[in-house]
Amino acid sequence: MSDEGTKSTSTADDGMKNPGWAGETGEFDLSESEVRGVDYVGEQPTEGWDAGGVTAYPYQRAERDPEAPLFEGPYRERLEKILRRYPNRRAALLPVLNLAQEIRGHLSQEALERVAEVVGETPATVRGVATFYTMYNKRPVGRHLIQVCTNVSCNLCGGHDVFKSFLEHTGAEPGTISEDGEFTVIEAECLGACGFPTVVQINDRYFENVEPEHVPEILARLRASGTAPASDGGTDRASSGPGLETESRWEPEAKSRSKPTSKKPRGEG
Amino acid sequence: MAYPYTHEREVRVMSRGFGDPASRTVEGWRKLGGYAALEKALEMAPEDVVEEVKASGLRGRGGAGFPAGVKWSFMPRDKQGPHYMLVNADESEPGAFKDRELIRWTPHQVIEGALIAAHAIRAQDVYVYIRGEFFEPALILGRAIEEAYQKGLAGSNILGTGTDIDVTIHLGAGAYICGEETALMNSLEGRRGQPRVKPPFPAASGLFAAPTTINNVETVCSVPHIVTNGGAWYRQWGPEKSPGTKLFNMSGHVVRRGNFELPLGFPMDELIFDVCGGIRNGRKLKAVIPGGSSVPILTADEIQGLACDYESVAEAGSMLGTASMIVMDDQTNMVTQVRRMVEFYAHESCGQCTPCREGTGWLVSILRRIEAGQGTLEDVDTLLGVAKNVTGTTICVLSDSSAAPIVSWINKFPDDIDRLVGGRRAGAGTAAAGTAAAEA
Amino acid sequence: MANRSDASDQITCTIDGQEVTVPRGTTILDAAEQMGIGIVHYCYHPALSAPAMCRMCLVHMEGAPKLVPACVSPVADGAVIQTDAPLAEEARTGVLEFYLVNHPLDCPVCDAAGECKLQDYVYQEGRKHGRSVEPKRVLGQDDFGADVLYDGDRCIMCTRCVRYMREIAEDDRLCVVQRGNRSVIDTFFGEGLDGSPFASNIIDICPVGALLSKDFLHKARAWDLDRTPSICPNCSQGCNITLDTRDNLVQRLKPRHNPEVNSYWMCDYGRYRYEWINRGTAPYPYGMPAPAGLEADEGDGSALPPAALPDRATISELRLESPMMRRDGVPVPVGWQEAILGLLERLRAVSGGIQVIGSPHHGNEDNGLLKRVQEVVGGDDAVYRAARAAAEVVLPGFQKLARRRDLAANTRGLDALGFRRVGDDSAAGGLAPPASALIVLGDPLADLPAKAMADAELVVYMGAVISPTLEKADFLLPLTSFAEQEGTFTNFEGRVQRFWPALNPPPMARPAWQVLGVILAGLQDGVAPASAGDAFLRLAELYDPFSGLSYPVLGTLGSMLNEPVRLRAGEEG
Ligand SMILES: Cc1cc2nc3c(=O)[nH]c(=O)nc-3n(C[C@H](O)[C@H](O)[C@H](O)COP(=O)(O)O)c2cc1C
Ligand code: SF4
Ligand code: SF4
Ligand code: SF4
Ligand code: FES
Ligand code: FES
């Protein structure tokens, strides 16, 4: 959580006070970090109870290594926990695909084959399942995957303009990687946060109440979010992941105002 | 704690912890009265819990409004093998954003409700199916589950009563259709999320072919309060057939968007103009979609004095669904919005049924043409004809959903059609056409 | 309602105004079928699970809130079902219209045209004019490997092929990729279907022209084909098939339903080995030294090469065209009468009995009468040779069906008739140069040197094609192949099944049973059998395993050797 990062961008926050939360009319004065807790993305969930299933979350780092070994080290542990939570192996297919995508960033042919081995199904079956779901990237994406909701509630409030603005400022065609390798922008279906339009999902995080004029600022911060360390699968995200840094830059003033949150993330205590 | 918007007419039962991060902990949730219901329920016989929920008249909040207690009573009483309790947190219907709030503000409410439900249907496992995009809510819920395990509120020997119930989160991966209950089961089993043909119904053969009950997050969240205070208490709100409180998800052109917990039967015009502060920028109301994008559109006139409960909205020719209201002002370009909604259904169709697979795509093509000003009157007829053919002919109701906005739009907003295709269909805009539309 | 039918497992319902009584649990589709009411369907296939997804079979059931899919809805006692209710007809017409929204309708170049369920149903129930004016989705073709070509544009997404591969072939190599109207069928990227020994059945069950046989591609129009029921001649399983012919040539083999033998399926090994039928030869290098690779056969027999043969143009040069008799050391063409009379004379003069060599590629009638000739003339050495693959190849989802090790249709029949199997697994060796008289059926004896026949008292060769070894035989008698005549094969488990003539034989060729029957009649002063059925009845009299059987008893599905058959039961009762 670097303070430098926050200072350099603090001025631009005025126009987008509390994005990510419905505070735009000024009636509501909670900062996002107060609301969500700065730790809301928390540490890399390698531990966890088998039943709680924290191990199954796709932990979408901004940058992933498409060559990374699958299911080794801490990932192996998580894989085993995942497999233990279902009465049969096949049921673990989605969580295992999630894990593979978390490690690699997208699901290559080879990754699908490995997953097929793990769950004891044929590669064709796994391909059939993986292609059914939109969140599995079948080809590489940029360092940041930006999904702009253009469905009806957001669209009524300018969702399509936000989408166009992201395209314009990244210079990318929809679904392709921008030239600098940073961004892939796609249109998303309703993200289930329709009360806070326009909703944009960037990697694993929602940005709410986004207006077209916020876009350059968001992109600048994402660009500045540094390079994630090589995939290690296990370390505490608060110290190394880009997600949280982004978050702290996001809320410079709120950060200084915020009282320590009442909820300590498990594992930090 | 000020949730983004609250209103004095709200009855905050389920939403009582909204806005307060403290309610995400066991301690915080207990302060709000949490886990008392679990303690009470585990002492009760499963049938008695079912009876209490039946008495409350609680109806499913996932869209169909089926009485929850009745659904639970379908489960076999003599348990032969595993039973499963599924919590449907796939919330993907455009307009709906209540389950996300419930999970991320009051995860213990979800856990508590799910455990009570599991106890009532004699399930040893709860799976919470959360849509993959809900990373943050899932993480919050995951933490809460771990805390609950640590404090003996979940897992084995819950609260020392000897009851064992495991709670597991399963993340989806981007498919609206996985909200349909049997598609959700397929997805959980590691298959393509395609709805299954019913019968068999889940209570006979659901997840892993075992008896299964599935409820929406909000349904589950209502349960602890009913158990604590009794079914009769719950009936103090709402009309006879739609008792209780409900989260109204307000989006679109209202001044205050967000979730408002109100008694069922609350008048829709007051909801929009009082609770939500009216239409933005001083504009006028044009249309409301009262229950998520898959229900027929209502006009400004139709909502006057309309009570927001399942029966009244149905009488008005639409459905309360998830009470996800999408409000549109008079400057709204309806064809664009309708096209966008139908595109959604075309994109999310699982593709099994021919009418849905081909029909939704076809509807999109026609709408795009009309939107671009290249439509004809015949296209409008074709739209209605296709909409008719995708209705009632498929395995699940996704394809019916795609037709609802189109048919209601064409029939209720003839001026839009006039402007777009430069002509009026015979009989359009008359009372007769309106009735025909309601019947279609 | 309880008194409509008793508590038994039979229930009564009304379909289109007619009452029908069926076992409880019968689907509407099956019940209607029994009454001769066909309900249109795509995704339903009797051998596969029913996903009820094509929505083609919607019918009206009184009291149901919506139309019900007939393929999965069981009839209830007292139910009133109307397949032709206006609502149901409208729905089906609507569904058909949806199929055509993106269908290319390239029937003129589609191999399925004429046997396409899309054509049929649209013709039956479709709209006169489609309303869609949108551009169509174009996907193109994909080579699935093996013999299968996929045309994505024509695919109607019934998923029969996917379910077949999962449930019957148990080789889950096909999947639906993507969802909604972007769905296509595919394998795992380039993996394809190669090496899946029963894959081509998906071509048969595809209701439209989306799965095509590369072998059959643009070879013939469906309506130009003659389809003759037959038995697959390529192994001893005896799969029921049709021989689809045009211009007197077999164009393809298709499985024919027989629940006891092959269900709706057949193996690829058998399916694509039909060229030899057109040439009248044996299916493999018969009597040659083991072809390279046979030992390395991994079990599916695919390593066994089909006989290396001249192309079609030279077939007529190869086939025996008329009976030949050796005169002054030179074979000369003669008429049948002359040949038979000459042969009878020689047979009557045989001193030390005769040796006979039977053929597992000929029917029971042919071999049986050959055996009988031997019994009449004297001699006891009756042998045959047949190739054998290294292992069986079982169809996992229907285990009665396997590509058997014996790569000839009638080995079991020869065993039942008292022939002894000799030679190795490539149908070579095991024969010594004949010392006395010899009658050879079919087997070209290609592995014996020509002079091997020098010491024989009499050599008679009956067959379709001539081999160098037998050029010097005393008699060369042109026969029809199994595809050119009527007859029966006995499969590995003793099921006797009929086949019918599909091709016109060369003018002078005759079925072996006829030739041998006349010879027998001559030897015994009796009457020659008038038909294959007649010849078969003689077998039934002469050989215990066949007793009680006759063509009417065999019917179209065959009957087990020496089963207590219906005719007898009828006589006794
Ligand atoms: C296409 C489709 C999508 C659905 N999506 C959801 C959903 O996202 N969340 C949900 O709770 N129910 C959804 N449902 C309803 C469920 O099938 C099911 O009725 C509900 O989860 C039952 O819970 P309840 O009785 O508590 O309402 C959907 C239904 C259909 C047909
Ligand atoms: S109606 Fe559509 S989404 Fe539902 S099962 Fe059929 S194809 Fe799938
Ligand atoms: S599949 Fe049938 S309808 Fe389609 S092109 Fe071929 S013959 Fe014509
Ligand atoms: S290829 Fe043929 S069998 Fe397979 S889904 Fe398509 S139409 Fe059906
Ligand atoms: S419409 Fe954008 S989040 Fe629902
Ligand atoms: S045959 Fe009944 S739905 Fe396909």
Side-chain angles (χ1 to χ4, degrees):
Chain A
M1 281 174 249
S2 115
D3 273 333
E4 274 104 23
T6 64
K7 267 175 213 144
S8 61
T9 51
S10 58
T11 46
D13 282 330
D14 301 336
M16 42 196 301
K17 202 152 132 217
N18 235 349
W21 193 244
E24 60 180 88
T25 54
E27 292 182 35
F28 179 70
D29 200 28
L30 263 186
S31 76
E32 186 177 21
S33 48
E34 278 173 305
V35 171
R36 304 184 191 226
V38 277
D39 53 300
Y40 90 93
V41 275
E43 81 275 21
Q44 176 83 342
T46 50
E47 303 139 57
W49 296 60
D50 288 353
V54 175
T55 43
Y57 302 141
Y59 182 82
Q60 299 184 343
R61 292 170 173 283
E63 178 147 291
R64 281 140 297 194
D65 174 6
E67 308 280 300
L70 283 171
F71 315 134
E72 279 178 17
Y75 290 119
R76 162 70 42 190
E77 269 169 48
R78 281 170 64 193
L79 175 68
E80 277 157 15
K81 279 183 184 165
I82 289 170
L83 292 176
R84 240 180 282 147
R85 298 196 341 254
Y86 298 94
N88 62 44
R89 290 200 149 215
R90 166 122 198 203
L93 179 49
L94 264 60
V96 175
L97 285 170
N98 282 339
L99 190 61
Q101 175 153 315
E102 173 191 331
I103 300 167
R104 293 275 182 86
H106 78 284
L107 295 172
S108 62
Q109 189 171 332
E110 184 234 334
L112 292 176
E113 269 167 325
R114 289 290 308 282
V115 172
E117 259 167 54
V118 166
V119 299
E121 294 290 331
T122 62
T125 307
V126 171
R127 183 180 179 209
V129 173
T131 53
F132 186 87
Y133 298 96
T134 49
M135 280 177 71
Y136 297 124
N137 302 326
K138 285 86 188 175
R139 47 193 164 138
V141 293
R143 193 160 75 92
H144 301 288
L145 177 61
I146 300 173
Q147 311 189 50
V148 186
C149 173
T150 58
N151 212 309
V152 55
S153 295
C154 292
N155 217 2
L156 283 169
C157 307
H160 201 76
D161 300 331
V162 175
F163 175 60
K164 279 196 297 202
S165 178
F166 269 109
L167 288 179
E168 191 185 311
H169 288 97
T170 56
E173 294 286 310
T176 62
I177 304 175
S178 64
E179 257 171 38
D180 53 8
E182 291 278 318
F183 306 109
T184 297
V185 183
I186 57 174
E187 235 175 311
E189 295 298 355
C190 173
L191 291 165
C194 324
F196 321 116
T198 292
V199 183
V200 182
Q201 183 180 15
I202 301 178
N203 304 326
D204 55 1
R205 230 201 102 166
Y206 277 21
F207 289 69
E208 293 162 3
N209 295 330
V210 177
E211 307 273 338
E213 57 269 25
H214 299 154
V215 169
E217 172 65 18
I218 293 176
L219 292 177
R221 289 177 183 193
L222 289 173
R223 278 205 181 89
S225 69
T227 310
S231 182
D232 51 26
T235 46
D236 186 312
R237 188 178 187 179
S239 58
S240 64
L244 207 62
E245 272 177 57
T246 315
E247 160 120 15
S248 64
R249 284 170 194 186
W250 198 241
E251 288 297 332
E253 286 145 351
K255 179 89 181 66
S256 53
R257 276 205 314 267
S258 70
K259 315 163 249 353
T261 46
S262 55
K263 182 174 171 288
K264 264 271 170 197
R266 197 193 51 70
E268 260 187 20
Chain B
M1 264 306 159
Y3 184 64
Y5 300 102
T6 55
H7 197 272
E8 69 269 11
R9 296 180 70 179
E10 272 191 280
V11 182
R12 300 188 62 172
V13 177
M14 287 174 282
S15 60
R16 57 175 69 161
F18 283 15
D20 178 8
S23 52
R24 290 176 187 158
T25 59
V26 169
E27 196 195 334
W29 183 237
R30 277 200 190 272
K31 270 192 198 137
L32 293 171
Y35 285 118
L38 181 63
E39 282 167 23
K40 184 172 169 193
L42 291 181
E43 299 296 329
M44 292 163 71
E47 306 79 273
D48 296 340
V49 180
V50 175
E51 282 313 310
E52 197 63 65
V53 173
K54 259 193 193 168
S56 76
L58 169 66
R59 296 176 62 165
R61 306 298 194 216
F66 193 82
V70 178
K71 191 191 267 187
W72 295 2
S73 67
F74 294 154
M75 292 290 281
R77 285 191 159 214
D78 52 331
K79 185 172 170 179
Q80 312 262 334
H83 284 190
Y84 291 101
M85 176 69 212
L86 300 183
V87 179
N88 189 342
D90 192 59
E91 185 166 70
S92 315
E93 170 107 347
F97 56 104
K98 60 196 176 59
D99 300 344
R100 173 167 177 258
E101 300 298 287
L102 285 165
I103 296 173
R104 65 185 194 149
W105 289 116
T106 54
H108 287 286
Q109 182 169 232
V110 181
I111 298 167
E112 187 181 3
L115 289 171
I116 297 171
H119 172 62
I121 62 156
R122 301 171 174 81
Q124 72 300 326
D125 269 300
V126 173
Y127 285 99
V128 184
Y129 187 101
I130 305 186
R131 67 179 291 188
E133 290 88 345
F134 282 0
F135 179 77
E136 176 215 15
L139 208 54
I140 291 173
L141 183 64
R143 291 241 175 83
I145 291 172
E146 286 180 31
E147 202 190 344
Y149 266 80
Q150 278 162 351
K151 307 225 158 114
L153 293 158
S156 49
N157 192 16
I158 299 174
L159 290 163
T161 57
T163 311
D164 300 342
I165 303 169
D166 275 322
V167 185
T168 305
I169 292 174
H170 187 94
L171 277 184
Y176 162 65
I177 192 59
C178 290
E180 200 282 337
E181 51 195 25
T182 51
L184 185 149
M185 290 168 200
N186 272 342
S187 180
L188 230 165
E189 288 176 15
R191 302 173 198 284
R192 294 166 60 85
Q194 295 174 330
R196 301 174 182 170
V197 182
K198 290 182 263 189
F201 290 95
S205 172
L207 185 65
F208 305 120
T212 304
T213 292
I214 177 162
N215 277 118
N216 175 251
V217 170
E218 193 185 347
T219 318
V220 162
C221 286
S222 307
V223 169
H225 309 287
I226 292 169
V227 170
T228 308
N229 303 302
W233 165 86
Y234 195 66
R235 285 187 170 276
Q236 67 178 290
W237 300 289
E240 174 66 27
K241 287 186 174 164
S242 304
T245 62
K246 167 100 194 63
L247 289 176
F248 287 86
N249 323 188
M250 307 303 294
S251 67
H253 293 143
V254 284
V255 172
R256 286 191 286 269
R257 306 179 187 118
N259 276 293
F260 298 95
E261 186 168 5
L262 295 162
L264 280 162
F266 197 88
M268 200 180 287
D269 43 358
E270 287 175 38
L271 173 57
I272 291 169
F273 291 102
D274 179 15
V275 177
C276 296
I279 309 299
R280 287 188 176 222
N281 306 324
R283 297 211 176 116
K284 287 226 277 296
L285 176 67
K286 176 167 186 180
V288 181
I289 306 179
S293 69
S294 55
V295 308
I297 304 170
L298 295 177
T299 62
D301 290 343
E302 284 171 314
I303 70 148
Q304 292 307 319
L306 180 60
C308 293
D309 58 68
Y310 296 97
E311 275 69 32
S312 309
V313 181
E315 262 167 48
S318 186
M319 283 180 285
L320 185 61
T322 47
S324 309
M325 306 209 177
I326 305 167
V327 179
M328 305 186 195
D329 69 21
D330 55 358
Q331 313 252 313
T332 306
N333 187 2
M334 295 277 281
V335 66
T336 305
Q337 302 309 334
V338 170
R339 187 262 300 152
R340 187 62 188 86
M341 282 187 261
V342 180
E343 271 177 357
F344 168 75
Y345 291 107
H347 183 255
E348 300 298 329
S349 162
C350 81
Q352 293 187 87
C353 315
T354 311
C356 179
R357 180 182 66 243
E358 302 292 347
T360 50
W362 188 6
L363 289 170
V364 168
S365 309
I366 304 174
L367 283 167
R368 281 190 186 149
R369 228 159 4 89
I370 294 180
E371 186 184 2
Q374 288 154 6
T376 62
L377 263 181
E378 266 150 55
D379 284 328
V380 180
D381 284 330
T382 310
L383 269 183
L384 289 174
V386 175
K388 178 158 171 268
N389 285 345
V390 299
T391 306
T393 53
T394 49
I395 294 178
C396 82
V397 294
L398 182 138
S399 71
D400 302 43
S401 302
S402 69
I406 300 178
V407 175
S408 52
W409 168 62
I410 293 179
N411 285 303
K412 294 181 183 180
F413 299 91
D415 295 344
D416 281 10
I417 308 291
D418 269 10
R419 186 173 50 78
L420 285 162
V421 303
R424 178 161 292 215
R425 291 186 319 121
T430 64
T435 340
E439 279 163 6
Chain C
M1 219 154 260
N3 58 356
R4 285 185 62 94
S5 23
D6 47 42
S8 80
D9 282 342
Q10 298 288 314
I11 56 161
T12 303
C13 64
T14 311
I15 301 181
D16 289 357
Q18 279 171 267
E19 283 213 343
V20 62
T21 303
V22 289
R24 190 175 295 280
T26 308
T27 62
I28 299 176
L29 194 130
D30 285 342
E33 194 105 309
Q34 281 179 28
M35 305 165 61
I37 300 171
I39 297 177
V40 292
H41 58 272
Y42 287 125
C43 65
Y44 171 79
H45 185 283
L48 304 174
S49 65
M53 55 190 270
C54 73
R55 315 309 287 177
M56 200 58 251
C57 65
L58 295 174
V59 297
H60 177 75
M61 179 154 79
E62 256 173 40
K66 287 184 184 181
L67 299 173
V68 296
C71 60
V72 290
S73 311
V75 285
D77 206 6
V80 179
I81 291 142
Q82 256 183 296
T83 65
D84 52 1
L87 262 183
E89 281 183 347
E90 233 172 84
R92 294 197 299 261
T93 307
V95 175
L96 284 166
E97 187 185 18
F98 287 133
Y99 277 119
L100 300 186
V101 171
N102 279 305
H103 195 93
L105 285 173
D106 53 350
C107 312
V109 292
C110 177
D111 275 339
E115 51 187 12
C116 166
K117 289 282 186 285
L118 191 59
Q119 287 183 329
D120 292 355
Y121 296 165
V122 173
Y123 181 79
Q124 237 171 288
E125 309 212 15
R127 288 174 68 94
K128 273 220 185 88
H129 303 283
R131 289 175 291 186
S132 172
V133 294
E134 318 304 329
K136 298 194 179 199
R137 178 184 63 223
V138 177
L139 295 165
Q141 290 189 331
D142 189 4
D143 190 338
F144 277 0
D147 183 48
V148 185
L149 190 65
Y150 174 67
D151 188 309
D153 301 322
R154 293 184 195 141
C155 175
I156 59 166
M157 272 299 138
C158 68
T159 71
R160 278 185 181 190
C161 52
V162 179
R163 281 174 286 135
Y164 168 83
M165 289 306 287
R166 179 181 312 140
E167 295 164 15
I168 307 293
E170 293 183 16
D171 186 6
D172 228 338
R173 291 211 221 171
L174 287 182
C175 60
V176 182
V177 170
Q178 268 283 359
R179 69 177 186 220
N181 64 359
R182 286 89 64 215
S183 307
V184 289
I185 304 292
D186 204 354
T187 65
F188 186 71
F189 302 97
E191 184 190 31
L193 294 168
D194 284 335
S196 194
F198 292 91
S200 291
N201 290 316
I202 61 177
I203 301 169
D204 306 331
I205 58 174
C206 179
V208 293
L211 293 174
L212 302 166
S213 160
K214 287 185 266 180
D215 178 70
F216 184 69
L217 201 64
H218 297 170
K219 241 162 107 179
R221 307 296 348 209
W223 50 84
D224 285 339
L225 291 171
D226 291 318
R227 294 152 211 252
T228 310
S230 190
I231 302 298
C232 173
N234 288 314
C235 90
S236 61
Q237 171 72 26
C239 285
N240 291 209
I241 59 166
T242 62
L243 290 172
D244 292 1
T245 57
R246 197 198 66 185
D247 300 342
N248 210 32
L249 289 169
V250 176
Q251 305 293 340
R252 64 178 184 190
L253 309 187
K254 284 268 181 191
R256 178 165 58 93
H257 181 226
N258 185 334
E260 297 302 324
V261 180
N262 58 315
S263 186
Y264 298 90
W265 325 119
M266 72 185 293
C267 76
D268 288 9
Y269 173 87
R271 184 188 295 260
Y272 297 112
R273 278 174 173 71
Y274 59 82
E275 268 300 293
W276 65 271
I277 304 174
N278 290 331
R279 289 160 182 174
T281 57
Y284 37 79
Y286 207 99
M288 303 291 205
L294 185 58
E295 298 82 0
D297 184 348
E298 280 165 12
D300 68 350
S302 53
L304 199 62
L309 289 163
D311 60 22
R312 286 178 180 191
T314 56
I315 293 171
S316 52
E317 292 163 26
L318 207 87
R319 268 194 90 151
L320 259 180
E321 296 214 316
S322 83
M324 314 261 255
M325 246 167 96
R326 200 139 62 107
R327 283 208 186 108
D328 308 324
V330 190
V332 284
V334 293
W336 269 106
Q337 190 173 12
E338 194 180 346
I340 297 275
L341 289 175
L343 178 54
L344 274 172
E345 196 177 309
R346 294 285 302 268
L347 281 173
R348 287 198 190 98
V350 162
S351 54
I354 52 172
Q355 186 192 2
V356 294
I357 299 176
S359 164
H361 304 294
H362 279 261
N364 296 310
E365 298 77 1
D366 297 0
N367 286 291
L369 293 188
L370 176 63
K371 187 81 193 344
R372 185 63 190 157
V373 168
Q374 185 188 39
E375 285 164 13
V376 169
V377 178
D380 52 14
D381 194 16
V383 298
Y384 73 94
R385 307 192 294 179
R388 230 182 237 239
E392 288 189 350
V393 190
V394 182
L395 177 58
F398 183 80
Q399 303 212 341
K400 279 183 195 165
L401 169 55
R403 207 295 315 285
R404 302 287 158 186
R405 287 193 59 200
D406 280 336
L407 300 176
N410 205 23
T411 49
R412 177 70 196 270
L414 286 158
D415 294 342
L417 290 165
F419 284 81
R420 186 168 54 89
R421 183 176 189 139
V422 296
D424 61 17
D425 283 355
S426 60
L431 294 172
S436 59
L438 171 70
I439 306 183
V440 189
L441 179 63
D443 191 332
L445 305 184
D447 54 335
L448 292 184
K451 59 180 187 311
M453 301 296 149
D455 295 340
E457 186 183 343
L458 166 70
V459 177
V460 182
Y461 172 70
M462 311 173 69
V465 293
I466 183 67
S467 78
T469 319
L470 291 158
E471 262 164 12
K472 299 268 169 54
D474 299 291
F475 290 88
L476 294 163
L477 305 177
L479 293 190
T480 55
S481 75
F482 88 98
E484 293 159 351
Q485 70 174 78
E486 208 176 338
T488 57
F489 287 140
T490 308
N491 83 348
F492 76 103
E493 54 172 353
R495 179 176 302 276
V496 186
Q497 308 188 93
R498 295 180 64 183
F499 52 81
W500 284 263
L503 298 174
N504 294 324
M508 291 287 274
R510 294 287 179 274
W513 60 262
Q514 195 176 20
V515 179
L516 292 161
V518 170
I519 290 171
L520 269 176
L523 289 172
Q524 296 182 303
D525 263 350
V527 185
S531 64
D534 220 2
F536 188 79
L537 278 177
R538 297 219 178 166
L539 290 195
E541 279 162 24
L542 293 167
Y543 299 99
D544 274 349
F546 290 90
S547 67
L549 298 181
S550 67
Y551 277 10
V553 169
L554 299 181
T556 45
L557 299 182
S559 200
M560 295 298 280
L561 281 177
N562 252 344
E563 255 180 1
V565 288
R566 275 159 286 164
L567 261 190
R568 282 196 163 172
E571 280 160 14
E572 278 160 21

